Amino acid sequence: MKVLGLESSCDETGIAIYEVETGVIQQRLYSQIECHREYGGVVPELASRDHVVKAAPMIIDLLQQNGGVHSLDGIVYTRGPGLMGALMVGACIARALAWALDKPVLGVHHMEGHLLAPMLSEDKPEFPFVALLVSGGHTMLVDVEAVGEYKILGESLDDAVGEAFDKTAKLLGLPYPGGPELAQLASTVSATDLVFPRPMVDRPGLDFSFSGLKTFALNTMHKLTPLSDQNRAEIAFAFEQAVVDTLQIKCQRALKQTGYRRLVVAGGVGANRTLRKRLQQMSAKLQTRVYFPALEYCTDNGAMIAYAGGLRMAAGQRDENVTDVLPRWSLETLQRLN
Ligand code: KG4
Ligand code: ZN
């Protein structure tokens, strides 16, 4: 079964062709970074408009190089969660194409795409596992028993971790998207006397709270003003250490609570090298295993949507009627496969 996958939930237009039997055939990614940079963050209306302009030519180009539109068995797209307008662009294109070609169509959960992205690697995790989903909009620990069998163990009560990276980066005067920029600045130092709090680690449970860290960063900046470049780098370093420590402590707790021996880390912040290194060290110590998607499948992309949708479509799932996009959509409501 060969599917076209379309991701348009935020500021990336991702298109991929995936064959269930053989894997990803090819993918294309267009990032809207330049479009939003002057505003310091994603402007939803501009995101929708840019998807309108970019998606169709990218699909045409990709299909021309890979067997043409008639070689497809189905079309899958991100139905949610995400920005309403951006999701609607992808949904309209996917459904119009499916209708015109008389092919099946299926809306995919964006976070299920992230969660299953490590399955695109050679060395795939087996079920069950704990998933740490860390993106710009979500921070969650999920008990993953099978495809579609998800139980949220804990989540952020306020800012998502990617959002905390982006907001703190903005305070430090770094350009959007701040996460990778802040990580880069942090990597220029290896120690500091600054100590940021590790939010909620002294309380039981697996929920997170990251909004206090940016306030802490702001207060630290005020105290150190006028800020030197060294001060800024040390703030970035101390912030990143606090985030990584907090995530690691909660992952360890989730592994203990579930008794599982496998941890999957996915979503944009999963690209963070300090986090990857720390979780690898933790896994070596606990004799568990940690799996990360390849970097190209870590941040938003079409391949993860094509994979999750292809898997469900191959199992017979279809959207029978025209369905709404779902800007808010709980992972726990998904249907279990097999
Ligand atoms: O999963 P993703 O591409 O989009 C969403 O679904 O939100 O995640 C984007 C988030 C942004 O907040 C971005 O700043 C963050 O992931 N991010 C990083 C890194 N790369 C991306 N945060 C920290 N370190 C990185 N290397
Ligand atoms: Zn995402």
Side-chain angles (χ1 to χ4, degrees), residues 26 28 60-68:
Q26 213 180 349
R28 292 255 193 290
I60 292 166
D61 183 50
L62 194 62
L63 284 171
Q64 266 171 356
Q65 293 182 30
N66 292 284

Side-chain angles (χ1 to χ4, degrees), residues 12 110 114 134-137 162-163 165-166 177-180 183 267-269 271-273 298-300:
E12 255 110 20
H110 180 80
H114 274 305
V134 274
S135 72
E163 191 180 355
F165 262 99
D166 293 342
V269 184
N272 184 280
R273 286 179 202 287
C298 214
T299 46
D300 289 352

